Amino acid sequence: MIQITLPDGSKREYDKPVSVADVAHDIAPSLAKVALAGKVVLTNQEEKLVDTSYLITEHVKLSIITGKDPEGLDLIRHSTAHLLAYAVKELFPDAQVTIGPVIENGFYYDFSYKRPFTPEDLQKIEKKMQELAKKNETVTREEWTRDEAVAFFLEQGEKYKAEIIASIPTNETISLYREGNFIDLCRGPHVPSTGKLKVFKLMKVAGAYWRGDSKNEMLQRIYGTAWATKEEQDHYLHMLEEAEKRDHRKLGRELDLFHMQEEAPGLVFWHPRGWTMWQQIESYIRRVYVENGYQEVRSPQIMDISLWKRTGHWDNYKENMFTTESENRLYGLKPMNCPGHIQIYNSNLHSYRELPIRYGEFGACHRNEPSGSLHGIMRVRGFTQDDGHIFCTEDQLQEECANFTKLLQKVYQDFGFTDILYKVATRPEHRIGEDSIWDKAESALMDSLRHGGYDFEISEGEGAFYGPKIEYTLKDALGRHWQCGTLQVDFSMPVRLGAEYVDANDQRRIPVMLHRAILGSLERFLGMLIEHYAGAMPPWLSPVQVAVCNISDAQKEYVEEVVSKLKQQGIRVIADLRGEKITRKIREQSMQKIPYILVVGDKEKEDGSVAVRARGNQDLGVMPLEKFIECLQDNVKNLKTNV
């Protein structure tokens, strides 16, 4: 008998092999109708996703996967990518298919075709996909030898697919999936029939090099999204519309914050209003440094390449570094600040009584990012990090890690973020240092989170080459995730650069080095803030906090008096004395997302008051100027995120 254990612990027995679909039907016919796949755990504890047609021949644990499961949504998207390729081949038989993986919120498929696909082509392809889905054609798995598959795809004129298969070892069985007239290479599993694919939309076409190599042919990548329900897709499409409105590049132009141009790719030209926001963030972080025992330092922009070789950066990171020469010496433009901070630490011999020593720097860094990856101020080549390094003893390591996480939570809350995700990135394949050191470093990070009561995920192999790290990820107003802060434990670089301290027994010891950043790249964090708040920054961050508008020329001198008093209180204010109607002034200043607009007419002039309008068309009424100043200063002092 074959015994199948279900998620609720109940068991079912069969006297012969049985398919996942049959088990689902036995549980409930309604479950069989929505079943997309199965998740089986074999007797050797191997877990795998399988098609509903998969025959169970031994004792297993079985879960039925539907569209409500994360795995089910991935299956829908993967199968929809195949449906896209099927539709393209139906409409454009000469097109060659390459690869079509699942990505976040959707999928894509790369094609080689003699001409660019147009928006009209996308509409035709999507319509054809809908027609093929309605046919409800069965999706079946077939197993071929590698050479059979290569010969088949070459005969079909699919040289890219044949090249992929030819790279697979000869002794491996090749699985292909067939639906109607279309057959494609795939490991699987897939939905049981095309009729399961009901909610999808093609989004755009972009270029992509074959196998990601710029030396190869440029292919056409069609992106799409797919969901289990129409409501989920509608929500996602609405979020995309909202994200487009909030795009920091668009708002950067509209609010006159910054610009970028071809002569300086990946570098930012900050305008006065944008730089004012930058300065507010920098001033805030500087206060955090002072309050938490950091000493602010400054290290050189360029250093001799020999230093970067000693740290290991040259061997592990040189493709991302800019270099320059002078007097027959090769220099590296710093991609990060840690080697400079060790030089500052090494300039004096330290006692254990001085530790921990915490350095902080607004360090200007440069990294040679590929041009295709640049994205406004979110991904740049020149950026500033709120970078810091802590030199401590091993006994102090746990406490320093825990304290940093608490500090980071407070900072994020002040910027309006309360939802933080924690990930521990472990040792990568290419790294420096012994495994025993990595064991110690990874344990320190994980234990600090466990003792703080924080749940965390593990990102296998995603650590830096010199040490593991905690990655702190924020969720914004649209539910998007942004990885910002990091905390890395490094036992290796202090050894390589000769960092020492004198212990209680007058013995020379090597400190542990913690690399930490709260915001990460200030450029990226500011771009994230712009999108999170849709440009309507909290009053303490807003480049202009108040606009004062007169109704007629008779109040011109009073406006100037009000502006002068506000400036004396450190308030960022502008006067709008144009000869326009007051309604137009209010509308235009509102479009600049200024937190407060003060309107003054003859009555306000006579009373020494102001009529206050808060962002969002809130009429706060008339009040004495002193009361308004008091309210605004309270808002700013307490870092409130709304007006």
Side-chain angles (χ1 to χ4, degrees):
M1 298 293 287
I2 299 170
Q3 188 178 85
I4 298 175
T5 304
L6 301 177
D8 63 1
S10 63
K11 301 180 187 299
R12 291 177 180 263
E13 294 188 340
Y14 299 87
D15 57 6
K16 60 182 179 180
V18 61
S19 71
V20 171
D22 289 337
V23 176
H25 190 272
D26 283 351
I27 296 170
S30 58
L31 178 62
K33 289 181 180 179
V34 296
L36 300 179
K39 182 194 289 184
V40 298
V41 180
L42 305 176
T43 50
N44 64 1
Q45 298 306 305
E46 178 190 358
E47 179 179 292
K48 62 180 182 178
L49 284 176
V50 297
D51 299 297
T52 56
S53 60
Y54 175 82
L55 280 181
I56 299 171
T57 60
E58 59 177 299
H59 297 338
V60 298
K61 295 178 181 177
L62 173 66
S63 302
I64 304 298
I65 302 300
T66 72
K68 295 180 180 180
D69 300 301
E71 301 96 334
L73 189 52
D74 280 350
L75 279 170
I76 288 171
R77 289 170 176 164
H78 192 183
S79 298
T80 308
H82 279 235
L83 186 68
L84 164 60
Y86 184 4
V88 168
K89 290 296 290 183
E90 288 283 298
L91 293 170
F92 308 98
D94 294 339
Q96 292 190 62
V97 298
T98 62
I99 58 171
V102 172
I103 57 175
E104 185 178 11
N105 297 317
F107 60 90
Y108 69 77
Y109 214 115
D110 290 347
F111 301 93
S112 174
Y113 191 52
K114 57 191 175 186
R115 66 164 176 81
F117 289 125
T118 66
E120 292 74 25
D121 290 332
L122 282 197
Q123 293 176 8
K124 292 177 184 176
I125 295 168
E126 187 175 311
K127 183 178 179 182
K128 175 59 72 173
M129 291 171 68
Q130 292 167 349
E131 293 173 2
L132 296 172
K134 286 178 182 177
K135 286 186 176 181
N136 197 27
E137 294 176 316
T138 301
V139 179
T140 57
R141 175 187 172 95
E142 300 178 8
E143 294 188 350
W144 297 22
T145 67
R146 188 197 71 169
D147 292 344
E148 286 175 336
V150 169
F152 172 79
F153 282 104
L154 285 175
E155 184 181 341
Q156 299 295 313
E158 298 284 359
K159 68 173 186 178
Y160 295 95
K161 195 66 70 173
E163 182 180 326
I164 294 171
I165 299 171
S167 66
I168 299 172
T170 312
N171 59 345
E172 285 195 24
T173 301
I174 305 299
S175 61
L176 294 93
Y177 281 79
R178 186 187 298 271
E179 49 195 280
N181 299 321
F182 181 69
I183 188 167
D184 199 1
L185 171 73
C186 189
R187 186 174 290 124
H190 275 275
V191 297
S193 68
T194 59
K196 302 293 184 183
L197 309 175
K198 294 181 171 66
V199 184
F200 52 81
K201 183 175 180 60
L202 299 185
M203 306 299 291
K204 63 178 181 179
V205 181
Y209 291 110
W210 168 235
R211 292 190 180 275
D213 190 337
S214 60
K215 297 176 183 177
N216 292 337
E217 179 191 348
M218 175 69 79
L219 305 174
Q220 296 187 71
R221 176 169 294 177
I222 298 180
Y223 285 94
T225 188
W227 300 84
T229 67
K230 186 175 184 302
E231 290 75 18
E232 289 174 311
Q233 179 164 287
D234 288 346
H235 174 75
Y236 171 69
L237 296 176
H238 173 73
M239 189 195 74
L240 287 184
E241 290 177 12
E242 187 63 27
E244 188 174 348
K245 294 176 189 174
R246 293 168 177 252
D247 190 310
H248 74 280
R249 296 166 298 180
K250 173 176 174 287
L251 291 171
R253 292 190 301 271
E254 293 175 356
L255 302 179
D256 195 24
L257 303 176
F258 62 85
H259 83 275
M260 307 181 83
Q261 61 190 60
E262 185 56 38
E263 289 82 357
L267 302 170
V268 188
F269 293 82
W270 288 102
H271 298 193
R273 290 192 176 187
W275 192 244
T276 297
M277 291 169 60
W278 174 290
Q279 289 175 312
Q280 298 311 306
I281 294 173
E282 186 175 296
S283 295
Y284 170 86
I285 293 296
R286 187 164 277 123
R287 292 196 300 273
V288 169
Y289 284 170
V290 172
E291 292 167 3
N292 290 274
Y294 285 84
Q295 304 172 72
E296 190 173 338
V297 297
R298 186 75 173 174
S299 58
Q301 285 287 104
I302 63 172
M303 291 182 280
D304 191 283
I305 212 70
S306 61
L307 179 63
W308 299 108
K309 289 181 178 179
R310 285 162 59 199
T311 63
H313 285 89
W314 190 247
D315 291 335
N316 293 276
Y317 207 75
K318 62 184 175 183
E319 69 276 5
N320 294 104
M321 291 179 63
F322 287 103
T323 58
T324 186
E325 291 187 38
S326 176
E327 298 179 341
N328 297 319
R329 291 180 69 180
L330 184 62
Y331 296 89
L333 196 59
K334 67 176 179 181
M336 51 196 67
N337 302 292
C338 32
H341 288 191
I342 295 184
Q343 306 314 304
I344 295 171
Y345 176 89
N346 285 351
S347 65
N348 290 297
L349 182 61
H350 299 281
S351 163
Y352 71 96
R353 293 186 179 90
E354 297 176 65
L355 303 185
I357 291 175
R358 306 182 186 98
Y359 292 146
E361 178 178 2
F362 299 101
C365 300
H366 290 79
R367 295 179 186 174
N368 192 12
E369 302 284 1
S371 58
S373 70
L374 301 178
H375 179 70
I377 62 175
M378 298 286 204
R379 187 75 178 267
V380 290
R381 287 175 172 165
F383 59 96
T384 300
Q385 281 189 314
D386 66 323
D387 210 356
H389 294 88
I390 301 170
F391 298 87
C392 64
T393 67
E394 284 193 37
D395 291 341
Q396 296 167 333
L397 180 57
Q398 234 9 276
E399 184 177 4
E400 288 298 311
C401 290
N403 286 345
F404 177 71
T405 298
K406 290 178 184 177
L407 165 62
L408 180 140
Q409 289 176 320
K410 170 65 168 60
V411 170
Y412 289 166
Q413 186 173 14
D414 286 345
F415 280 102
F417 301 100
T418 56
D419 199 344
I420 306 174
L421 305 177
Y422 305 89
K423 292 184 180 180
V424 177
T426 59
R427 66 198 75 184
E429 181 179 352
H430 300 291
R431 59 185 183 269
I432 58 177
E434 299 295 327
D435 282 347
S436 59
I437 295 298
W438 280 86
D439 292 340
K440 194 183 301 183
E442 289 171 356
S443 294
L445 292 177
M446 293 182 193
D447 288 346
S448 75
L449 291 174
R450 289 191 188 103
H451 293 159
Y454 309 119
D455 294 329
F456 61 90
E457 298 178 13
I458 295 179
S459 298
E460 295 285 353
E462 295 297 318
F465 70 87
Y466 49 80
K469 59 184 175 180
I470 300 175
E471 295 177 336
Y472 303 89
T473 300
L474 306 181
K475 185 185 289 187
D476 72 4
L478 296 182
R480 299 173 302 180
H481 291 163
W482 302 91
Q483 193 269 305
C484 293
T486 57
L487 176 64
Q488 303 169 350
V489 177
D490 184 355
F491 284 89
S492 297
M493 203 173 297
V495 176
R496 287 179 167 237
L497 296 186
E500 295 179 328
Y501 70 93
V502 178
D503 69 10
N505 298 315
D506 285 335
Q507 299 294 313
R508 299 277 181 113
R509 301 291 184 189
I510 298 169
V512 183
M513 184 178 183
L514 296 178
H515 307 248
R516 45 102 293 178
I518 302 172
L519 308 183
S521 158
L522 267 66
E523 286 83 356
R524 181 172 177 270
F525 190 77
L526 188 44
M528 189 186 82
L529 283 175
I530 292 169
E531 296 197 0
H532 176 66
Y533 287 109
M537 309 303 286
W540 72 276
L541 272 174
S542 186
V544 177
Q545 296 168 315
V546 181
V548 186
C549 305
N550 60 325
I551 294 176
S552 69
D553 286 343
Q555 301 93 40
K556 180 177 181 296
E557 290 183 3
Y558 181 57
V559 167
E560 291 171 346
E561 180 185 336
V562 169
V563 168
S564 177
K565 288 182 177 179
L566 291 172
K567 285 183 176 179
Q568 289 172 19
Q569 296 298 319
I571 294 169
R572 299 185 291 278
V573 58
I574 61 171
D576 189 343
L577 296 169
R578 296 174 299 158
E580 303 284 355
K581 290 182 178 180
I582 189 62
T583 52
R584 180 169 183 175
K585 289 184 181 183
I586 292 172
R587 183 174 65 253
E588 291 183 359
Q589 297 301 344
S590 296
M591 290 176 65
Q592 288 298 302
K593 304 183 185 291
I594 295 173
Y596 297 99
I597 299 172
L598 306 185
V599 178
V600 297
D602 288 338
K603 188 175 186 306
E604 287 77 21
K605 176 182 176 182
E606 182 180 342
D607 297 342
S609 61
V610 289
V612 184
R613 300 180 68 90
R615 192 166 50 208
N617 202 28
Q618 302 177 60
D619 186 351
L620 302 186
V622 177
M623 65 182 72
L625 178 60
E626 290 71 19
K627 181 179 178 182
F628 169 73
I629 291 173
E630 182 182 333
C631 292
L632 176 54
Q633 288 179 332
D634 177 71
N635 186 306
V636 171
K637 179 182 177 181
N638 292 294
L639 305 178
K640 295 179 181 178
T641 56
N642 53 13
V643 293

